[in-house]
Amino acid sequence: MLDGMVGTWRSLLLAQAIGQIEAELDLAWARLLSDFDVAHGTADETALGWLVVDNPEEHDWRVVDAALDRLSCTECGVTLARGPATCRRCTYHHELRFAARETDRPNVPPGNEHAIRVSFAVARNRTRYSPRARVGYELLLPDLVAGFLPTTKQAQAAKALINKLTPEECDRVTTFDEVEALTRTRPAL
Ligand SMILES: [Zn+2]
């Protein structure tokens, strides 16, 4: 399982899900450039990027996330919204991105797209979230991309198990089966 694709991700499945979404972001951005007749690699592209991240409510979240990926933060110098949690400009744009539009793909439960965008944002902004806050999103993302959405009851059951993990275990587990195996005999907190 540990091939080059895993990289910084907790599992190959997560790496593949992130890779698939990033490819979709690239496509969404290419379409926007084409719609606005803007050439790749130009100052116009950067200007369009700022226009998009400053007005996320006018665009699909994939376009907004793609724009963030193409801009550098004017305060910390890192890719916009990916800087340290202490960078106010990155934090501002990270929060503002959630105003972007989300449209469920065909044949998925309502809310699937919202779950994907939140999980994707959490997984790619690890320094902003604790291991316990991240693990559920990161374990779920591959299933969300496949079109699944847990019921509230399922999500609460998963959360109850995750709450029995140590922070180190939260970062180490690669599947919900592992979470279950680790926590089966532990008392509820
Ligand atoms: Zn920053």
Side-chain angles (χ1 to χ4, degrees):
M1 186 191 91
L2 290 171
D3 70 20
M5 255 202 83
V6 177
T8 58
W9 309 109
R10 72 171 65 234
S11 69
L12 181 59
L13 272 180
L14 181 60
Q16 286 169 335
I18 297 276
Q20 181 181 331
I21 298 169
E22 286 181 336
E24 290 165 6
L25 261 51
D26 288 344
L27 272 178
W29 187 251
R31 265 198 302 272
L32 187 80
L33 288 186
S34 166
D35 288 349
F36 281 76
D37 206 14
V38 165
H40 173 70
T42 60
D44 281 352
E45 181 181 20
T46 305
L48 181 59
W50 284 108
L51 201 63
V52 167
V53 299
D54 284 334
N55 302 277
E57 69 284 353
E58 293 176 16
H59 300 278
D60 184 83
W61 75 271
R62 290 162 192 263
V63 172
V64 174
D65 274 28
L68 289 170
D69 283 353
R70 284 158 177 79
L71 297 169
S72 295
C73 176
T74 50
E75 280 181 32
C76 72
V78 174
T79 304
L80 190 59
R82 305 278 283 276
T86 49
C87 177
R88 284 182 2 192
R89 191 159 186 84
C90 280
T91 300
Y92 171 78
H93 283 287
H94 176 65
E95 288 170 1
L96 192 64
R97 72 175 354 139
F98 292 106
R101 297 174 189 170
E102 52 198 24
T103 308
D104 279 313
R105 297 168 296 165
N107 307 313
V108 299
N112 172 269
E113 188 70 10
H114 177 72
I116 287 178
R117 61 118 43 125
V118 172
S119 300
F120 181 68
V122 169
R124 292 211 309 168
N125 292 275
R126 307 191 94 233
T127 55
R128 288 185 187 279
Y129 302 93
S130 70
R132 198 178 305 285
R134 283 195 313 260
V135 59
Y137 290 110
E138 293 182 355
L139 292 180
L140 190 58
L141 186 55
D143 291 338
L144 295 174
V145 170
F148 170 78
L149 186 68
T151 63
T152 304
K153 203 173 165 189
Q154 288 170 328
Q156 284 169 347
K159 186 80 192 152
L161 293 184
I162 284 167
N163 283 341
K164 296 186 195 177
L165 296 175
T166 66
E168 292 72 27
E169 287 168 340
C170 283
D171 266 345
R172 200 179 68 221
V173 289
T174 56
T175 62
F176 277 117
D177 284 348
E178 259 181 73
V179 176
E180 277 191 328
L182 279 168
T183 56
R184 192 170 294 137
T185 56
R186 291 182 194 173
L189 297 180

